[in-house]
Amino acid sequence: MIRTMAMTKDQQLIKEFPLEDIKQNDYEWYWVDFNCPTAEEELLLDTFFHFHPLAIEDCLMRLQRPKLDFYDDFHFFVIHKLNEETLIAEELNIFVSDHFIVTFHKNEAAEIEKVQKFLEEQPKYWERGTVFLTYQTIDKIVDSYFPLVYKIEDHLNALEDELTYQSNVNAMQIVFEFRSDLLHLRRTILPMRDLLYRILSSYRFALKKSERAYFGDIHDHLAKLTEMVESNRELTADMRDSYMAMSSSRMNGIMMMLTIVSTIFIPLTFIAGVYGMNFDNMPELHGHYSYFIVLGIMLLLALSMLALFKSKGWFKLFKP
């Protein structure tokens, strides 16, 4: 589907006009949005607009890295938006010149609709032109990152408060899922931050002082998002390390208890083995109280070893 919008010479905003009107009318600026275009509509990038083949190829190929390319009569942006459900990046392409902006995206982009609705409600911004429309589009996309990061951050903070070995043995699975989500965010936000830095530092994409302030604000948002993502990744790493430390401590306690039990039973097993050989010449076997004496010795030996281990603090290492 192709959506159109333009500002006329007499400062009127019109929508949904045929593409042929672009050549017949001298608009101040016009906006053509290719929303989930068909194969026939994709051909218009070449047959109607005559964009550079490399830019068209970037639109039609698989996901490209966020970038800014300069051509003779337009600038070409590759922007990444995020799917709210899967956190997978989706590409949005923008062709910009002084008199037009053409957006191309194979997935639904609510941000485009928000910008167009904003323009309808705010006539005072119509004269700011295509660079302002580009700013608004990128700004809305970057703003959509924040709820996704905040959502993960809130979940991690809640999980950190509940993270104990006993209460949640599946905590690490949840932590690794969030870590994977943060990786998806990081792969999108960092290239977008680099793109905004290039926009601000490029002499070919000439920005007025007021326009530079707007794009600088987007860069600041991306820098903040980067810090939040990195902070949350460090939090997941700390939670992972804490869980592994708790698991290691618990395992050490279990091994300590097993060692104590085994150590106590080694001499008892030895005594039982000696008197279980059934040789004829074993005088102790014929004593009337031999059985009780041996059991007493074994009990005394076990209690003595328990007392020794307790005095050395071995039981403090065991945490059930």
Side-chain angles (χ1 to χ4, degrees):
M1 179 175 69
I2 297 178
R3 297 178 293 194
T4 55
M5 174 182 286
M7 190 183 78
T8 63
K9 291 291 185 179
D10 56 354
Q11 307 299 305
Q12 297 295 319
L13 191 70
I14 61 174
K15 295 181 63 179
E16 308 304 336
F17 53 85
L19 284 181
E20 290 72 18
D21 289 359
I22 293 176
K23 296 181 178 180
Q24 299 173 4
N25 295 277
D26 187 17
Y27 295 121
E28 285 289 335
W29 56 260
Y30 63 87
W31 185 355
V32 179
D33 178 47
F34 287 80
N35 179 32
C36 304
T38 63
E40 292 76 12
E41 292 171 340
E42 291 175 354
L43 295 176
L44 294 173
L45 294 175
D46 180 30
T47 59
F48 185 85
F49 291 102
H50 307 295
F51 290 137
H52 195 283
L54 291 178
I56 297 175
E57 182 181 0
D58 286 338
C59 289
L60 302 181
M61 290 181 63
R62 296 182 60 187
L63 196 67
Q64 304 291 311
R65 182 180 176 86
K67 65 177 182 177
L68 168 61
D69 289 336
F70 302 103
Y71 296 95
D72 292 337
D73 52 352
F74 66 90
H75 305 303
F76 176 68
F77 293 84
V78 176
I79 308 297
H80 283 182
K81 61 186 295 293
L82 286 168
N83 186 297
E84 294 183 1
E85 300 297 328
T86 62
L87 299 183
I88 295 176
E90 298 173 349
E91 185 173 322
L92 187 148
N93 308 110
I94 305 177
F95 301 84
V96 182
S97 78
D98 293 336
H99 301 293
F100 69 79
I101 175 172
V102 176
T103 49
F104 182 96
H105 48 98
K106 295 185 178 181
N107 305 94
E108 292 289 341
E111 294 79 10
I112 298 294
E113 298 178 4
K114 290 179 181 178
V115 175
Q116 293 185 345
K117 184 177 180 180
F118 169 79
L119 285 177
E120 293 176 20
E121 297 174 350
Q122 302 291 335
K124 62 181 180 180
Y125 292 113
W126 296 351
E127 295 182 357
R128 296 199 177 185
T130 56
V131 174
F132 182 75
L133 298 180
T134 303
Y135 153 74
Q136 282 289 335
T137 302
I138 299 175
D139 184 57
K140 291 294 187 294
I141 289 174
V142 172
D143 286 346
S144 69
Y145 298 164
F146 278 98
L148 304 176
V149 178
Y150 283 138
K151 182 179 179 181
I152 293 176
E153 187 174 56
D154 291 342
H155 282 302
L156 285 175
N157 289 333
L159 183 61
E160 184 183 29
D161 294 337
E162 301 173 359
L163 184 60
T164 63
Y165 190 94
Q166 292 86 351
S167 64
N168 194 353
V169 294
N170 297 320
M172 278 304 96
Q173 180 64 32
I174 301 174
V175 169
F176 282 120
E177 289 176 1
F178 283 130
R179 192 171 177 83
S180 177
D181 292 342
L182 289 169
L183 181 60
H184 282 113
L185 291 170
R186 187 172 184 268
R187 287 175 176 172
T188 298
I189 292 173
L190 287 181
M192 286 290 290
R193 185 191 64 181
D194 295 340
L195 171 62
L196 264 295
Y197 178 78
R198 187 182 181 196
I199 292 173
L200 291 170
S201 59
S202 173
Y203 68 92
R204 296 188 62 181
F205 189 66
L207 293 173
K208 300 176 183 177
K209 186 176 181 180
S210 59
E211 294 171 340
R212 183 175 297 276
Y214 283 113
F215 283 93
D217 183 64
I218 300 178
H219 185 268
D220 291 342
H221 289 172
L222 287 166
K224 179 180 178 180
L225 285 164
T226 302
E227 293 174 358
M228 292 173 64
V229 169
E230 294 300 333
S231 175
N232 286 321
R233 279 173 56 84
E234 291 178 4
L235 178 59
T236 58
D238 291 343
M239 294 170 66
R240 177 193 60 196
D241 294 342
S242 297
Y243 183 84
M244 296 301 293
M246 287 190 292
S247 298
S248 178
S249 176
R250 181 177 173 85
M251 182 60 67
N252 289 339
I254 292 173
M255 294 302 297
M256 177 64 70
M257 182 54 66
L258 293 176
T259 301
I260 291 173
V261 172
S262 300
T263 304
I264 291 174
F265 274 90
I266 286 175
L268 303 185
T269 304
F270 172 76
I271 294 173
V274 168
Y275 289 103
M277 292 186 292
N278 294 324
F279 288 117
D280 291 333
N281 189 19
M282 294 186 69
E284 296 90 346
L285 296 179
H286 304 291
H288 185 70
Y289 298 104
S290 298
Y291 172 73
F292 300 103
I293 293 173
V294 172
L295 285 181
I297 293 174
M298 294 172 70
L299 178 61
L300 181 62
L301 183 59
L303 293 175
S304 300
M305 295 182 71
L306 285 172
L308 176 63
F309 296 148
K310 185 177 181 180
S311 67
K312 292 182 176 295
W314 286 19
F315 290 106
K316 295 180 181 180
L317 299 177
F318 176 71
K319 298 179 180 180

